[in-house]
Amino acid sequence: LYKTNVVGTLNMLGLAKRVGAKFLLTSTSEVYGDPLQHPQVETYWGNVNPIGVRSCYDEGKRTAETLAMDYHRGANVEVRIARIFNTYGPRMCIDDGRVVSNFVAQALRREPLTVYGDGKQTRSFQYVSDLVEGLMRLMEGEHVGPFNLGNPGEFTMLELAQVVKDTIDPNARIEFKENTQDDPHKRKPDITKAKDLLGWEPKVSLRKGLPLMVEDFRRRIFGDQKDESIKMANKRMSSNGK
């Protein structure tokens, strides 16, 4: 993952330099690590364990930002840097391991919602259309960044689980498991810079956006099963007709 972030970014910056293209780096809130400042502003340098299990991603993105700024300052490549906070919406991979995907898929399948640690760690969740609007404004504007793009609405994992239960199945159970190493305790973007320079702020609340994601997940999870049942039925009919 570290190699992908670094070598991939380096290759694309080289291409942008050769063809004179504008380069967008979709960085991450993970550059802040387990932050000691709350909420996080773009001038905060972060609190990252450079040898932890998450460091390949955290440090990979931090290095990618360094490369982007080096090419901007040293080779006059026009770059834009977005630090993206947790984003959710339709068409996400159902089993990608992200917390919103996990909760939604588990609730739909009538499985317990897996909460790591005590569930008091916080995250901020933005709907995908808000992110797209922010990225478009960033690319069409004159400011390099970095810009925090995220929804400042802050939820603990237990609060997120409750929203998912309210949306899908009020009787869903919660199953607690041991927390992962270096899991950030708090995560919330300060979006003042994006408001002031991009004229951007998110519009879609979690309770408004989550049902749209649930509808998509429900269709794909149970639609696939329905299609498979139809295929099996057709196969049996074909066999009986021989």
Side-chain angles (χ1 to χ4, degrees):
L1 187 54
Y2 183 86
K3 187 176 182 180
T4 299
N5 276 317
V6 175
V7 178
T9 300
L10 190 61
N11 288 340
M12 294 307 296
L13 283 166
L15 177 61
K17 177 184 176 183
R18 289 195 299 275
V19 303
K22 185 185 295 185
F23 179 83
L24 170 65
L25 175 62
T26 52
S27 188
T28 172
S29 58
E30 293 293 332
V31 299
Y32 300 122
D34 188 6
L36 303 178
Q37 179 185 99
H38 192 75
Q40 295 81 55
V41 297
E42 290 86 350
T43 52
Y44 177 54
W45 290 356
N47 177 44
V48 174
N49 176 3
I51 57 172
V53 295
R54 301 170 67 99
S55 63
C56 57
Y57 185 60
D58 299 1
E59 298 288 26
K61 287 293 190 180
R62 287 162 68 95
T63 303
E65 288 193 15
T66 300
L67 290 169
M69 291 306 299
D70 280 349
Y71 268 74
H72 173 64
R73 287 186 290 251
N76 296 316
V77 174
E78 193 173 1
V79 304
R80 300 289 185 269
I81 301 174
R83 290 177 179 166
I84 299 172
F85 284 66
N86 291 63
T87 304
Y88 69 96
R91 301 185 183 180
M92 293 181 71
C93 292
I94 291 173
D95 297 307
D96 64 6
R98 299 169 189 265
V99 64
V100 182
S101 304
N102 282 355
F103 282 176
V104 170
Q106 288 169 339
L108 287 171
R109 291 166 173 159
R110 299 296 188 263
E111 299 170 353
L113 308 188
T114 304
V115 172
Y116 294 93
D118 59 11
K120 295 180 180 179
Q121 62 271 43
T122 69
R123 297 294 184 272
S124 301
F125 303 99
Q126 72 176 332
Y127 190 67
V128 61
S129 61
D130 284 330
L131 172 61
V132 171
E133 176 66 21
L135 292 174
M136 290 175 63
R137 293 194 181 209
L138 174 58
M139 289 300 285
E140 293 168 356
E142 301 177 351
H143 303 282
V144 171
F147 285 94
N148 288 337
L149 295 183
N151 191 319
E154 186 178 14
F155 295 82
T156 67
M157 295 302 96
L158 288 176
E159 289 171 340
L160 172 63
Q162 187 59 53
V163 175
V164 172
K165 288 175 62 175
D166 292 344
T167 305
I168 302 174
D169 178 11
N171 297 317
R173 295 188 301 107
I174 293 177
E175 181 177 270
F176 291 90
K177 291 189 176 182
E178 183 178 355
N179 204 0
T180 55
Q181 183 182 342
D182 295 332
D183 187 36
H185 292 86
K186 290 182 177 293
R187 186 63 58 73
K188 176 181 178 179
D190 184 311
I191 60 170
T192 303
K193 185 177 178 181
K195 284 183 177 180
D196 292 346
L197 298 182
L198 303 180
W200 174 87
E201 61 180 315
K203 305 295 184 185
V204 182
S205 68
L206 179 62
R207 289 191 178 272
K208 182 179 178 182
L210 188 65
L212 303 176
M213 178 179 177
V214 170
E215 180 182 352
D216 170 71
F217 269 45
R218 179 180 282 115
R219 183 172 60 252
R220 286 192 286 146
I221 290 174
F222 298 113
D224 290 347
Q225 292 179 3
K226 182 178 179 181
D227 291 344
E228 189 62 29
S229 297
I230 293 173
K231 289 179 183 177
M232 292 298 294
N234 289 337
K235 186 175 181 180
R236 286 195 296 270
M237 290 174 63
S238 177
S239 298
N240 293 335
K242 289 182 179 179

